[in-house]
Amino acid sequence: MSFFKKLFEKKICDICGEEIGLLGNRKLEDGNMCKDCAKKLSPFFSERRQSTIEDIKQQLEYREENKNAVASFNVTRVLGDSTKIYLDEDAGKFMVTNASQKNIAEENPDVIDFASVTNVSIDIDEDKREEKTRDKDGNMVSYNPPRYIFSYDISVTILVNHPYFDEINVRLNNSDIQINRDYPVTMLRKPDPNRSAEYLEYMDMANDIKTTLTTARTQAREEIKSAAAPKQAVVCPWCGATTKPDKSGCCEYCGGAING
């Protein structure tokens, strides 16, 4: 079959059964998927071509169940700027999305447990652009020595233990943080980014995200470990019975608080 015949060949989505429009096919390891089904996958998922039809169906089932988790999510704190990290500190969960709070349900961001975080790192990407001038003939030429404008991107990478993705990258600044846009300098006079208020603002934001998520992860894991530990029998100060306190730390017989 020629390339053009294959291009215009009718294809059916192996996920929803609908016909796939021109240029709308998303190849799977063992089939095809339409762009509408692809939009329902996690935005952090990147293994589509290595996924089978069954893999995708299972993820879409998870994504439907995730809608319930989004509906019950109670935002207690928001981190970030254009891309936001919503926290539900009472439930020990978070979401990462560009959506505003009123549009969260429509976006259906993945709801992730604090305990699933494996690492949080801050990434600083430096770039330099050479600034040129015109010679006497009007041609653009380099300064001697060359002069540059330096810019930075600050992002946070969140590594997670999740069945469908393991990395979330959050770029904090909307546009390049240009340190010396009005005065290009030589390499020997490279400016210190820590003298830029905008750079410091986003670095503070990055550190806040890292500290918050790593602290929440540690607390969540300690709670899981404590809950899984065998309960020790104690004497209830209220009824005198030997008891193993329940999840609330109360006597299983009289309901009295063991430590209070």
Side-chain angles (χ1 to χ4, degrees), residues 103-150:
N103 294 325
I104 285 178
E106 181 180 345
E107 188 72 15
N108 190 26
D110 297 278
V111 178
I112 307 167
D113 293 333
F114 286 153
S116 297
V117 175
T118 59
N119 189 56
V120 182
S121 61
I122 299 172
D123 305 304
I124 304 171
D125 182 28
E126 179 187 276
D127 191 25
K128 65 179 187 296
R129 174 175 60 83
E130 184 180 356
E131 188 77 357
K132 296 190 176 184
T133 186
R134 293 188 182 277
D135 63 13
K136 62 182 181 180
D137 298 319
N139 300 315
M140 297 300 297
V141 296
S142 297
Y143 285 96
N144 185 22
R147 300 179 186 178
Y148 301 92
I149 293 176
F150 290 86

Coordinates of all heavy atoms in Angstrom, one line a residue, residues 103-150:
N103 N -12.3 25.7 37.8 CA -12.3 24.9 36.6 C -11.6 23.5 36.8 O -11.4 22.8 35.9 CB -11.7 25.6 35.4 CG -12.5 26.8 34.9 OD1 -13.7 26.8 35.0 ND2 -11.7 27.8 34.5
I104 N -11.3 23.2 38.1 CA -10.6 22.0 38.4 C -11.3 20.7 37.9 O -10.7 19.8 37.4 CB -10.3 21.9 39.9 CG1 -9.1 22.9 40.2 CG2 -9.8 20.5 40.3 CD1 -8.8 22.9 41.7
A105 N -12.6 20.7 38.2 CA -13.4 19.5 37.8 C -13.4 19.2 36.4 O -13.2 18.0 35.9 CB -14.9 19.7 38.3
E106 N -13.4 20.2 35.5 CA -13.4 20.0 34.1 C -12.0 19.5 33.6 O -11.9 18.7 32.7 CB -13.7 21.4 33.4 CG -13.7 21.3 31.9 CD -14.0 22.7 31.2 OE1 -14.5 23.6 32.0 OE2 -13.7 22.8 30.0
E107 N -11.0 20.0 34.3 CA -9.6 19.6 33.9 C -9.3 18.2 34.4 O -8.5 17.5 33.8 CB -8.6 20.6 34.5 CG -7.2 20.4 34.1 CD -6.9 20.9 32.6 OE1 -7.8 21.6 32.1 OE2 -5.9 20.5 32.1
N108 N -9.9 17.8 35.5 CA -9.6 16.4 36.1 C -8.1 16.1 36.3 O -7.6 15.1 35.8 CB -10.3 15.3 35.2 CG -10.3 14.0 35.9 OD1 -10.3 13.9 37.1 ND2 -10.2 12.9 35.1
P109 N -7.4 17.0 37.1 CA -6.0 16.7 37.3 C -5.9 15.5 38.2 O -6.7 15.2 39.1 CB -5.6 18.0 38.1 CG -6.8 18.5 38.7 CD -7.9 18.2 37.8
D110 N -4.8 14.8 38.1 CA -4.5 13.6 38.9 C -4.4 14.0 40.4 O -3.6 14.9 40.7 CB -3.2 12.9 38.4 CG -3.3 12.4 37.0 OD1 -3.8 11.3 36.8 OD2 -2.8 13.2 36.1
V111 N -5.1 13.3 41.2 CA -5.0 13.4 42.7 C -4.0 12.5 43.2 O -4.1 11.2 43.0 CB -6.4 13.2 43.3 CG1 -6.3 13.4 44.8 CG2 -7.4 14.2 42.8
I112 N -3.0 13.0 43.8 CA -1.8 12.2 44.2 C -1.6 12.3 45.7 O -1.7 13.3 46.3 CB -0.5 12.7 43.5 CG1 -0.8 12.8 42.0 CG2 0.7 11.8 43.8 CD1 0.3 13.6 41.2
D113 N -1.3 11.1 46.3 CA -1.0 11.1 47.8 C 0.3 11.7 48.1 O 1.3 11.5 47.3 CB -1.0 9.6 48.3 CG -2.3 9.0 48.2 OD1 -3.3 9.7 48.3 OD2 -2.4 7.7 48.1
F114 N 0.4 12.5 49.2 CA 1.7 13.0 49.6 C 2.7 11.9 49.8 O 3.9 12.1 49.5 CB 1.5 13.7 51.0 CG 0.9 15.0 51.0 CD1 0.2 15.5 52.1 CD2 0.9 15.8 49.8 CE1 -0.5 16.7 52.0 CE2 0.3 17.1 49.8 CZ -0.4 17.5 50.9
A115 N 2.3 10.7 50.3 CA 3.2 9.6 50.5 C 3.8 9.1 49.2 O 4.8 8.3 49.3 CB 2.5 8.5 51.3
S116 N 3.2 9.4 48.1 CA 3.7 8.9 46.8 C 4.9 9.7 46.3 O 5.6 9.2 45.3 CB 2.6 8.9 45.7 OG 1.5 8.0 46.1
V117 N 5.2 10.8 46.9 CA 6.3 11.7 46.4 C 7.6 11.0 46.8 O 7.8 10.5 47.9 CB 6.3 13.0 47.1 CG1 7.5 13.9 46.7 CG2 5.0 13.8 46.6
T118 N 8.5 10.8 45.8 CA 9.8 10.2 46.1 C 11.0 11.2 46.1 O 12.0 10.9 46.8 CB 10.1 9.1 45.0 OG1 10.2 9.7 43.7 CG2 9.1 8.0 45.1
N119 N 10.8 12.3 45.4 CA 11.8 13.3 45.5 C 11.3 14.6 44.9 O 10.4 14.6 44.0 CB 13.1 12.9 44.7 CG 14.3 13.8 44.8 OD1 14.7 14.1 46.0 ND2 14.8 14.4 43.8
V120 N 11.8 15.8 45.3 CA 11.5 17.1 44.8 C 12.8 17.8 44.6 O 13.6 18.0 45.5 CB 10.6 17.9 45.7 CG1 10.2 19.2 45.1 CG2 9.3 17.1 46.1
S121 N 13.1 18.3 43.3 CA 14.3 19.0 43.0 C 14.0 20.3 42.3 O 13.0 20.5 41.7 CB 15.2 18.1 42.2 OG 14.6 17.8 40.9
I122 N 14.9 21.3 42.5 CA 14.8 22.6 41.9 C 15.7 22.6 40.7 O 16.9 22.3 40.9 CB 15.1 23.7 42.9 CG1 14.1 23.7 44.0 CG2 15.0 25.1 42.2 CD1 14.4 24.6 45.2
D123 N 15.2 23.0 39.5 CA 16.1 23.0 38.3 C 16.2 24.5 37.8 O 15.2 25.2 37.7 CB 15.5 22.2 37.2 CG 15.2 20.7 37.7 OD1 16.2 20.1 38.1 OD2 14.1 20.3 37.6
I124 N 17.4 24.9 37.6 CA 17.7 26.3 37.1 C 18.3 26.2 35.8 O 19.4 25.7 35.6 CB 18.6 27.1 38.1 CG1 17.9 27.1 39.5 CG2 18.8 28.5 37.6 CD1 18.9 27.6 40.6
D125 N 17.7 26.7 34.8 CA 18.2 26.7 33.4 C 18.7 28.1 33.0 O 17.9 29.0 32.9 CB 17.1 26.2 32.4 CG 17.6 26.0 31.0 OD1 18.8 25.8 30.8 OD2 16.8 26.2 30.1
E126 N 20.0 28.2 32.8 CA 20.5 29.5 32.4 C 20.7 29.5 30.8 O 21.1 28.5 30.2 CB 21.9 29.7 33.0 CG 22.6 31.0 32.7 CD 24.0 31.1 33.2 OE1 24.1 31.5 34.4 OE2 24.9 30.7 32.5
D127 N 20.4 30.6 30.3 CA 20.6 30.8 28.8 C 21.2 32.2 28.6 O 21.0 33.1 29.4 CB 19.2 30.7 28.1 CG 19.4 30.7 26.6 OD1 20.5 30.2 26.1 OD2 18.5 31.1 25.9
K128 N 21.9 32.4 27.5 CA 22.4 33.7 27.2 C 22.2 33.9 25.7 O 22.3 33.0 24.8 CB 23.9 33.8 27.5 CG 24.9 32.9 26.7 CD 26.3 33.1 27.1 CE 27.3 32.3 26.2 NZ 27.2 30.9 26.3
R129 N 21.9 35.2 25.4 CA 21.6 35.6 24.0 C 22.6 36.7 23.7 O 22.7 37.7 24.4 CB 20.2 36.1 23.8 CG 19.9 36.7 22.5 CD 18.4 37.0 22.3 NE 18.0 38.0 23.3 CZ 18.1 39.3 23.2 NH1 18.7 39.8 22.2 NH2 17.7 40.1 24.2
E130 N 23.3 36.5 22.6 CA 24.3 37.6 22.2 C 23.6 38.8 21.6 O 22.7 38.7 20.8 CB 25.3 37.0 21.1 CG 26.3 38.1 20.8 CD 27.3 37.6 19.8 OE1 27.2 36.4 19.4 OE2 28.2 38.3 19.4
E131 N 23.9 39.9 22.2 CA 23.4 41.2 21.7 C 24.4 41.7 20.6 O 25.6 41.7 20.9 CB 23.3 42.2 22.8 CG 22.6 43.5 22.5 CD 21.1 43.3 22.4 OE1 20.6 42.2 22.5 OE2 20.4 44.3 22.1
K132 N 23.9 42.2 19.5 CA 24.8 42.7 18.4 C 24.5 44.2 18.1 O 23.6 44.8 18.6 CB 24.6 41.9 17.1 CG 25.0 40.4 17.3 CD 25.0 39.7 16.0 CE 25.5 38.2 16.2 NZ 25.7 37.5 14.9
T133 N 25.4 44.8 17.3 CA 25.3 46.2 17.0 C 25.5 46.3 15.5 O 25.8 45.3 14.8 CB 26.3 47.0 17.7 OG1 26.1 48.4 17.5 CG2 27.8 46.6 17.3
R134 N 25.3 47.5 14.9 CA 25.5 47.7 13.5 C 26.8 48.4 13.2 O 27.2 49.3 14.0 CB 24.3 48.5 12.9 CG 23.0 47.8 13.0 CD 21.9 48.6 12.2 NE 20.6 47.9 12.3 CZ 20.3 46.9 11.5 NH1 21.1 46.5 10.5 NH2 19.1 46.3 11.6
D135 N 27.5 47.9 12.2 CA 28.7 48.6 11.8 C 28.4 49.8 10.9 O 27.2 50.2 10.7 CB 29.6 47.6 11.1 CG 29.1 47.1 9.8 OD1 28.0 47.7 9.3 OD2 29.6 46.1 9.2
K136 N 29.4 50.4 10.4 CA 29.2 51.7 9.6 C 28.4 51.4 8.3 O 27.8 52.4 7.8 CB 30.5 52.3 9.3 CG 31.5 51.4 8.5 CD 32.8 52.1 8.2 CE 33.7 51.2 7.3 NZ 35.0 51.9 7.1
D137 N 28.4 50.2 7.9 CA 27.6 49.8 6.7 C 26.2 49.4 7.0 O 25.4 49.0 6.1 CB 28.3 48.8 5.9 CG 29.7 49.2 5.4 OD1 29.8 50.4 5.0 OD2 30.7 48.4 5.5
G138 N 25.8 49.3 8.3 CA 24.5 48.9 8.6 C 24.3 47.4 8.9 O 23.2 47.0 9.1
N139 N 25.4 46.7 8.8 CA 25.4 45.2 9.1 C 25.4 44.9 10.6 O 26.1 45.6 11.3 CB 26.5 44.5 8.3 CG 26.5 44.8 6.9 OD1 25.5 44.7 6.2 ND2 27.6 45.1 6.3
M140 N 24.7 43.9 10.9 CA 24.7 43.4 12.3 C 26.0 42.7 12.6 O 26.3 41.7 11.9 CB 23.5 42.5 12.6 CG 22.1 43.2 12.5 SD 21.9 44.6 13.6 CE 22.0 43.8 15.2
V141 N 26.7 43.1 13.6 CA 28.0 42.5 14.0 C 28.1 42.3 15.5 O 27.4 43.0 16.2 CB 29.2 43.3 13.4 CG1 29.2 43.4 11.9 CG2 29.1 44.7 14.0
S142 N 29.0 41.5 15.9 CA 29.2 41.3 17.3 C 30.0 42.4 17.9 O 30.8 43.1 17.2 CB 30.0 40.0 17.6 OG 29.2 38.9 17.1
Y143 N 29.8 42.7 19.2 CA 30.7 43.6 19.9 C 32.0 42.9 20.1 O 32.1 41.7 20.0 CB 30.1 43.9 21.3 CG 28.9 44.9 21.3 CD1 27.6 44.4 21.3 CD2 29.1 46.2 21.3 CE1 26.5 45.2 21.3 CE2 28.0 47.1 21.3 CZ 26.7 46.6 21.3 OH 25.7 47.5 21.3
N144 N 33.0 43.7 20.4 CA 34.3 43.1 20.7 C 34.8 43.6 22.0 O 35.2 44.8 22.2 CB 35.3 43.5 19.6 CG 36.7 42.8 19.8 OD1 36.8 41.8 20.4 ND2 37.7 43.4 19.2
P145 N 34.8 42.7 23.0 CA 34.4 41.3 23.0 C 32.9 41.2 23.0 O 32.2 42.2 23.2 CB 34.9 40.7 24.3 CG 35.0 41.9 25.2 CD 35.3 43.1 24.4
P146 N 32.3 40.0 22.6 CA 30.9 39.8 22.5 C 30.2 40.1 23.8 O 30.7 39.9 24.9 CB 30.8 38.3 22.2 CG 32.0 37.9 21.6 CD 33.1 38.8 22.3
R147 N 28.9 40.6 23.7 CA 28.1 41.0 24.9 C 26.9 40.1 24.9 O 26.3 39.8 23.8 CB 27.8 42.5 24.9 CG 29.0 43.4 24.9 CD 28.6 44.8 24.9 NE 29.7 45.7 24.8 CZ 29.6 47.1 24.7 NH1 28.4 47.6 24.7 NH2 30.7 47.8 24.6
Y148 N 26.4 39.8 26.1 CA 25.2 38.9 26.2 C 24.2 39.4 27.2 O 24.5 40.2 28.1 CB 25.7 37.5 26.7 CG 26.7 36.9 25.8 CD1 28.1 37.1 26.0 CD2 26.3 36.1 24.7 CE1 29.0 36.5 25.2 CE2 27.3 35.5 23.9 CZ 28.6 35.7 24.1 OH 29.6 35.1 23.3
I149 N 23.0 39.0 26.9 CA 21.9 39.1 27.9 C 21.6 37.8 28.5 O 21.4 36.8 27.8 CB 20.6 39.7 27.2 CG1 20.9 41.1 26.8 CG2 19.4 39.6 28.2 CD1 19.7 41.7 26.0
F150 N 21.6 37.7 29.8 CA 21.4 36.4 30.5 C 20.0 36.2 31.0 O 19.4 37.2 31.5 CB 22.4 36.3 31.7 CG 23.8 36.1 31.3 CD1 24.6 37.2 31.0 CD2 24.4 34.9 31.1 CE1 25.9 37.1 30.6 CE2 25.7 34.7 30.8 CZ 26.5 35.8 30.5

